[in-house]
């Protein structure tokens, strides 16, 4: 009986060992590895198919696109490595043009397997790998490719995503690309306003006049025949910010760094250099008195004719004119003072064909300051007073010479 039980126990132990031994689990592990590698390879193949379709200008429709969140798009940058529109603006193409395809992030444990697939199946794909900490890890020993920060932010790249990048050149209307054979492109007939060009491995019709399609925040000005800034797209910037057109796109720019200007000056953006500079504050007005000390030009007449009149000030019948350059003051006749009794008074008493009012010029130098009588003969004689007031000339039986007289400055009898 004991021998029988020992035989049963021995048989059971041998069976248990054979079932659970490592040699029996190898086929199962190899099957799981092959299935996972096949799934990863299908993800890479889906990304390649979508990427090639984007390059050819077609579309790739498959269930794998949705399952693996595969997306292809064109991304362009200017010389400053900033994202810009992938278009010809004023006959100028972007400095960097890429077609980029991305997938959903892989699990951490799949990184090595995916790199092995890329090395084995896509050795000549170029920049095709796993995004990790700002770089694309390539298959095999190819190393890594840096990704510009602007592209990382634009596509919101995450670690573990498969990224396929291809750089290309946006063709311009000035590029003339001839076909290798006469048959290429003969069946392509482009409508009016477009031109036939060879791009992405096939003939296409693109707009001929690229200037009318300004792109960015620019608009076509039919009068100037050029692209100008579209003021309707100008943003409302925060306080201390200024809207500036950078690479055909409006941007709100802050002073960088905080510009510290001396008293009486403010920071202003130089639109040519996009740098802040200190300029005079227009809100600060200095009350500059150029002529704080006024010099009165002395005026002298015949002795006794200006009795009681100061030579250093104007009379009641005059007004002062200040030269802003020399600050010198000159007295000239003021016709508005004729009715003042201190100057003349009743003008009706000096009217008619034989009477006229005149001013008593003390000398010719004084009269030269009066613009109304420049170039005319000024009578300074015994029949005309030099009292620097308005007077009445009575010609008696004679008449006033209307051609030579200029009342109320000059009165001459015929």
């Amino acid at each position: 009986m004991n021998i029988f039980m020992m035989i049963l126990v021995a048989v059971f132990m041998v069976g248990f060992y054979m079932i659970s031994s490592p040699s029996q689990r190898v086929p199962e592990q190899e099957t799981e590895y092959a299935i996972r590698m096949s799934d990863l390879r299908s993800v890479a193949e889906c990304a390649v198919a979508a990427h090639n379709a984007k390059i050819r200008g077609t579309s790739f429709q498959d269930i794998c696109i949705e399952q693996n969140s595969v997306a292809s798009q064109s991304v362009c940058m200017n010389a400053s490595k900033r994202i810009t529109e992938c278009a010809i603006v004023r006959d100028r193409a972007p400095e960097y043009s890429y077609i980029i395809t991305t997938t959903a992030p892989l699990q951490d444990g799949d990184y090595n397997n995916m790199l092995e697939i890329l090395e084995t199946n896509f050795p000549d794909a170029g920049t095709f790998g796993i995004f990790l900490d700002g770089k694309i890890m390539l298959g095999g020993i190819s190393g890594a490719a840096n990704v510009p920060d602007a592209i990382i932010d634009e596509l919101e790249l995450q670690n573990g995503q498969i990224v396929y990048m291809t750089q290309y050149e946006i063709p311009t209307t000035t590029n003339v690309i001839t076909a290798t054979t006469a048959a290429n492109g003969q069946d392509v007939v482009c409508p009016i306003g477009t031109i036939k060009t060879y791009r992405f491995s096939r003939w296409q019709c693109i707009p001929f006049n690229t200037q009318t399609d300004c792109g960015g925040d620019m608009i076509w000005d039919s009068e100037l025949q050029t692209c100008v800034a579209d003021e309707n797209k100008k943003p409302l910037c925060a306080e201390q910010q200024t809207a500036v057109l950078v690479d055909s796109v409006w941007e709100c720019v802050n002073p960088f760094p905080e510009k510290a200007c001396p008293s009486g000056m403010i920071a202003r953006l130089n639109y040519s250099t996009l740098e802040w500079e200190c300029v005079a504050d227009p809100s600060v007005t200095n009350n500059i008195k150029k002529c704080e000390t006024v010099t009165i030009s002395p005026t002298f007449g015949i002795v006794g004719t200006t009795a009681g009149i100061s030579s250093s000030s104007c009379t009641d019948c005059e007004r002062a004119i200040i030269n802003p350059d020399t600050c010198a003051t000159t007295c000239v006749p003021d016709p508005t003072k004729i009715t003042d009794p201190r100057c003349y008074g009743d003008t009706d008493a000096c009217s008619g064909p034989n009477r006229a009012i005149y001013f008593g010029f003390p000398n010719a130098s004084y009269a030269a300051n009066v613009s109304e009588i420049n170039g005319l003969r000024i009578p300074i004689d015994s029949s005309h007073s030099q009292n620097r007031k308005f007077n009445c000339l009575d010609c008696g039986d004679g008449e006033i010479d209307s051609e030579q007289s200029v009342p109320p400055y000059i009165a001459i009898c015929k």
Side-chain angles (χ1 to χ4, degrees):
M1 183 66 179
N2 292 333
I3 296 175
F4 179 74
M5 292 297 297
M6 291 179 63
I7 294 173
L8 289 178
V9 170
V11 171
F12 175 77
M13 292 182 63
V14 171
F16 177 79
Y17 173 76
M18 293 182 64
I19 294 174
S20 60
S21 64
S23 62
Q24 300 298 322
R25 293 198 303 269
V26 168
E28 180 180 351
Q29 291 179 352
E30 289 181 350
T31 302
E32 291 178 356
Y33 172 77
I35 293 175
R36 187 55 188 160
M37 291 293 286
S38 177
D39 291 341
L40 293 176
R41 185 167 57 251
S42 65
V43 175
E45 291 174 348
C46 184
V48 171
H51 192 77
N52 292 337
K54 180 68 174 178
I55 292 177
R56 291 191 299 266
T58 59
S59 60
F60 174 69
Q61 302 294 335
D62 191 271
I63 188 63
C64 70
I65 297 292
E66 182 177 354
Q67 289 176 341
N68 302 291
S69 300
V70 179
S72 297
Q73 56 187 302
S74 298
V75 180
C76 299
M77 297 187 300
N78 55 26
S80 302
K81 296 294 183 67
R82 292 185 179 182
I83 299 297
T84 185
E85 185 178 4
C86 293
I88 306 296
V89 179
R90 287 176 288 184
D91 290 337
R92 183 178 176 183
E95 293 291 334
Y96 305 96
S97 306
Y98 298 95
I99 291 179
I100 303 177
T101 301
T102 59
T103 69
L106 300 175
Q107 298 178 5
D108 294 347
D110 291 332
Y111 288 1
N112 290 334
N113 293 337
M114 178 57 74
L115 292 176
E116 180 181 347
I117 291 173
L118 297 178
E119 179 186 8
T120 304
N121 299 276
F122 308 98
D124 302 323
T127 307
F128 187 24
I130 302 174
F131 179 78
L132 186 63
D133 297 333
K135 297 182 179 180
I136 297 178
M137 310 303 296
L138 307 178
I141 59 174
S142 301
N146 293 323
V147 182
D149 294 338
I151 294 181
I152 296 176
D153 296 337
E154 178 71 13
L155 301 183
E156 299 180 354
L157 296 181
Q158 305 176 29
N159 288 342
Q161 284 185 280
I162 299 177
V163 178
Y164 195 172
M165 289 182 60
T166 299
Q167 189 170 3
Y168 73 101
E169 180 181 358
I170 298 179
T172 63
T173 55
T174 57
N175 292 340
V176 179
I177 305 175
T178 58
T180 55
T181 63
N184 286 342
Q186 288 184 352
D187 57 340
V188 178
V189 179
C190 294
I192 298 176
T194 62
I195 187 173
K196 180 173 61 177
T197 186
Y198 194 73
R199 59 184 301 204
F200 298 147
S201 304
R202 66 189 182 96
W203 287 99
Q204 296 181 8
C205 297
I206 63 175
F208 180 75
N209 187 2
T210 58
Q211 284 188 327
T212 58
D213 183 15
C214 299
D217 293 333
M218 308 287 286
I219 189 172
W220 179 255
D221 191 317
S222 57
E223 294 182 359
L224 300 177
Q225 291 295 303
T226 186
C227 291
V228 297
D230 189 352
E231 296 293 334
N232 294 328
K233 295 183 180 180
K234 188 174 183 179
L236 295 176
C237 298
E239 188 177 359
Q240 303 300 328
Q241 287 187 326
T242 303
V244 180
L245 201 66
V246 180
D247 295 320
S248 304
V249 178
W250 286 110
E251 291 187 9
C252 292
V253 179
N254 285 313
F256 50 94
E258 291 294 335
K259 190 71 173 179
C261 295
S263 177
M265 304 186 75
I266 60 172
R268 184 184 65 181
L269 183 66
N270 187 320
Y271 288 89
S272 300
T273 62
L274 292 183
E275 294 181 356
W276 291 85
E277 56 188 12
C278 292
V279 298
D281 188 352
S283 63
V284 178
T285 57
N286 296 325
N287 187 14
I288 301 176
K289 296 181 178 179
K290 185 175 181 180
C291 300
E292 294 184 358
T293 302
V294 177
T295 304
I296 304 296
S297 300
T299 304
F300 299 99
I302 299 176
V303 178
T305 59
T306 56
I309 304 297
S310 173
S311 61
S312 60
S313 63
C314 298
T315 68
D316 295 332
C317 307
E318 299 170 328
R319 60 185 177 89
I321 299 178
I322 299 178
N323 188 320
D325 296 324
T326 62
C327 297
T329 302
T330 304
C331 297
V332 296
D334 188 355
T336 62
K337 301 293 183 66
I338 295 179
T339 56
D340 190 327
R342 293 172 297 180
C343 296
Y344 185 79
D346 187 8
T347 57
D348 294 335
C350 187
S351 60
N354 59 342
R355 293 179 183 179
I357 294 178
Y358 71 94
F359 186 80
F361 292 105
N363 50 47
S365 299
Y366 181 104
N369 297 319
V370 184
S371 59
E372 290 84 353
I373 57 175
N374 281 345
L376 301 179
R377 182 177 68 87
I378 308 299
I380 300 177
D381 49 36
S382 58
S383 62
H384 291 80
S385 176
Q386 289 85 42
N387 59 1
R388 294 171 64 182
K389 293 184 178 182
F390 291 99
N391 307 275
C392 182
L393 178 63
D394 190 347
C395 296
D397 296 336
E399 295 181 358
I400 295 293
D401 190 341
S402 59
E403 294 183 359
Q404 299 188 46
S405 299
V406 184
Y409 299 104
I410 301 174
I412 299 177
C413 296
K414 286 185 179 181

